[in-house]
């Protein structure tokens, strides 16, 4: 997968978690939603780790300093994807 | 605190710059029903919100609005990148250009700058949540109006995503309002302001 495809995996899992979190805010005891959220937490964690291993940090505190300050390398989100 | 994530909530990839479109889409950046007003409205209201679920909705929706602010700015930026002076004049963007060049500035489509008067924080749980439900509908109408005027699929896709989120937020705020009312006297929800009158010193 290229950068955009891997980023899309992160965005999809992030969106699922975000939208489910909002639902859980007003339905905090919904067991089905809690299980669904837990399932996607794993998907999200894996997608972020896969992306960051190849393309650098999504959040500054994930920067691997053995590679230098990679946080400012690569495109910013407002730039058109290649 | 907040932490920046180096990604958009929904992808924006506009192939054809079109400054004339940016002129009105910028209203959802800094206009009266735009994303910065939405974010600051919810994040300001949450401090005095006495019900945990409602405070959660205000925090999480207020945070998502910041991601929407970034998406709108990205649309404006991509629609105005590399524009020539001729394109600025053709699009009628001279007044914006003279003040901001190609910078993204928080203003309404009509040109007036962002004004905190457009967001409310009344310190009353019912008042604020009803305001929030109306705010989501106003933003939804604005996105509907934008969709009537754009024909580029690269612009339509992210605008439609943003429009859908307004509907989801409206739903969540409605549920938060119901939770607040469940905690109040069903014979008269308005007998007291739970943010003021239920503080320990008033009981």
């Amino acid at each position: 997968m290229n950068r955009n495809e891997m980023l899309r995996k992160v965005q999809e899992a992030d969106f699922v978690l975000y939208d489910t979190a909002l639902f859980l805010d007003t339905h905090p005891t919904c067991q089905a939603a809690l299980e669904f959220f837990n399932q996607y937490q794993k998907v999200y964690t894996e997608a972020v780790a896969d992306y960051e291993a190849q393309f650098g940090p999504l959040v500054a505190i994930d920067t691997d300093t053995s590679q230098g300050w990679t946080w400012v390398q690569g495109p910013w989100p407002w730039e058109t994807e290649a | 605190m907040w932490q920046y994530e180096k990604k958009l909530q929904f992808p924006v990839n506009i192939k054809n710059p079109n400054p004339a479109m940016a002129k009105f889409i910028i209203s959802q950046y800094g206009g009266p029903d735009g994303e910065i007003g939405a974010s600051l409205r919810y994040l300001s209201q949450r401090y005095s919100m006495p019900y945990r679920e409602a405070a959660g909705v205000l925090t999480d929706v207020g945070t998502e609005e910041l991601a929407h602010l970034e998406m709108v700015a990205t649309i404006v930026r991509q629609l105005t990148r590399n524009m020539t002076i001729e394109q600025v004049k053709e699009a009628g963007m001279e007044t914006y250009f003279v003040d901001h060049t190609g910078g993204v500035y928080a203003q309404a489509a009509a040109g007036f700058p962002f004004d905190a008067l457009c967001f409310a924080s009344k310190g009353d749980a019912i008042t604020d949540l009803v305001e929030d439900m109306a705010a989501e509908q106003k933003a939804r109408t604005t996105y509907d109006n934008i969709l009537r005027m754009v024909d580029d699929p690269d612009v339509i896709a992210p605008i439609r995503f943003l429009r859908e989120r307004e509907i989801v937020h409206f739903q969540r705020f409605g549920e938060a309002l119901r939770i607040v009312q469940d905690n109040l006297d069903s014979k008269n929800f308005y007998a007291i302001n739970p943010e003021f009158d239920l503080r320990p010193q008033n009981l």
Side-chain angles (χ1 to χ4, degrees):
Chain A
M1 280 191 288
N2 65 27
R3 174 196 283 273
N4 298 339
E5 288 164 343
M6 291 187 74
L7 185 62
R8 217 62 87 230
K9 296 280 179 206
V10 176
Q11 286 168 314
E12 284 168 8
D14 175 77
F15 179 72
V16 168
L17 287 177
Y18 214 99
D19 199 38
T20 310
L22 268 188
F23 178 84
L24 280 162
D25 285 346
T26 54
H27 305 76
T29 60
C30 175
Q31 202 55 41
L34 288 166
E35 284 165 21
F36 184 71
F37 190 84
N38 178 252
Q39 183 190 328
Y40 269 88
Q41 280 177 311
K42 298 182 185 87
V43 176
Y44 175 77
T45 306
E46 277 177 28
V48 169
D50 289 349
Y51 178 92
E52 290 188 327
Q54 279 199 56
F55 301 111
L58 285 166
V59 289
I61 59 171
D62 285 351
T63 303
D64 174 2
T65 54
S66 71
Q67 308 292 313
W69 191 239
T70 52
W71 174 242
V72 291
Q73 292 169 11
W76 288 101
W78 50 88
E79 293 166 350
T80 314
E81 293 174 358
Chain B
M1 70 164 286
W2 274 264
Q3 180 165 252
Y4 184 66
E5 291 184 32
K6 204 174 179 179
K7 68 179 198 304
L8 296 178
Q9 194 189 15
F10 183 95
V12 178
N13 287 295
I14 299 169
K15 290 182 280 295
N16 303 312
N18 186 336
M21 265 186 221
K23 262 175 70 182
F24 54 83
I25 291 175
I26 202 165
S27 223
Q28 281 303 88
Y29 191 77
D33 305 310
E35 301 290 353
I36 190 66
S39 180
L40 295 178
R41 175 184 308 113
Y42 310 144
L43 294 178
S44 299
Q45 289 174 357
R46 69 196 174 123
Y47 298 100
S48 56
M49 177 58 71
Y51 302 106
R52 313 202 67 76
E53 299 92 336
V57 173
L58 291 169
T59 299
D60 294 339
V61 176
T63 299
E64 185 179 346
E65 306 295 12
L66 291 174
H68 296 175
L69 185 73
E70 184 182 37
M71 281 180 63
V72 174
T74 298
I75 293 169
V76 169
R77 170 62 188 164
Q78 292 184 5
L79 285 171
T80 56
R81 69 182 188 274
N82 303 327
M83 61 184 177
T84 64
I85 291 299
E86 284 66 36
Q87 286 168 325
V88 168
K89 288 180 181 171
E90 273 170 34
M93 271 193 87
E94 299 97 323
T95 50
Y96 186 93
F97 179 83
V98 78
D99 284 336
H100 310 294
T101 328
V104 174
Y105 178 71
Q107 69 168 45
F112 54 85
F114 175 74
D115 190 330
L117 286 170
C118 75
F119 74 85
S121 183
K122 201 68 175 175
D124 180 304
I126 291 180
T127 309
D128 280 350
L129 288 168
V130 171
E131 171 84 26
D132 301 343
M133 292 174 72
E136 294 293 333
Q137 289 298 340
K138 286 186 277 185
R140 194 265 306 156
T141 303
T142 308
Y143 284 124
D144 277 334
N145 291 342
I146 289 171
L147 285 168
R148 291 176 202 278
M149 294 190 284
V150 299
D151 53 8
D152 180 347
D154 293 344
V155 178
I156 290 171
I159 296 289
R160 285 185 64 175
F161 171 84
L162 292 167
R163 177 191 178 278
E164 286 166 12
R165 298 306 293 159
E166 308 299 344
I167 295 167
V168 171
H169 293 171
F170 175 79
Q171 180 71 21
R172 298 285 95 85
F173 281 130
E175 291 158 358
L177 177 62
R178 190 203 66 223
I179 289 167
V180 169
Q181 290 175 328
D182 284 347
N183 281 280
L184 298 174
D185 178 358
S186 63
K187 293 194 185 72
N188 184 1
F189 291 140
Y190 314 104
I192 55 142
N193 172 2
E195 297 194 15
F196 192 80
D197 299 305
L198 293 184
R199 296 175 304 162
Q201 66 268 38
N202 290 334
L203 292 174

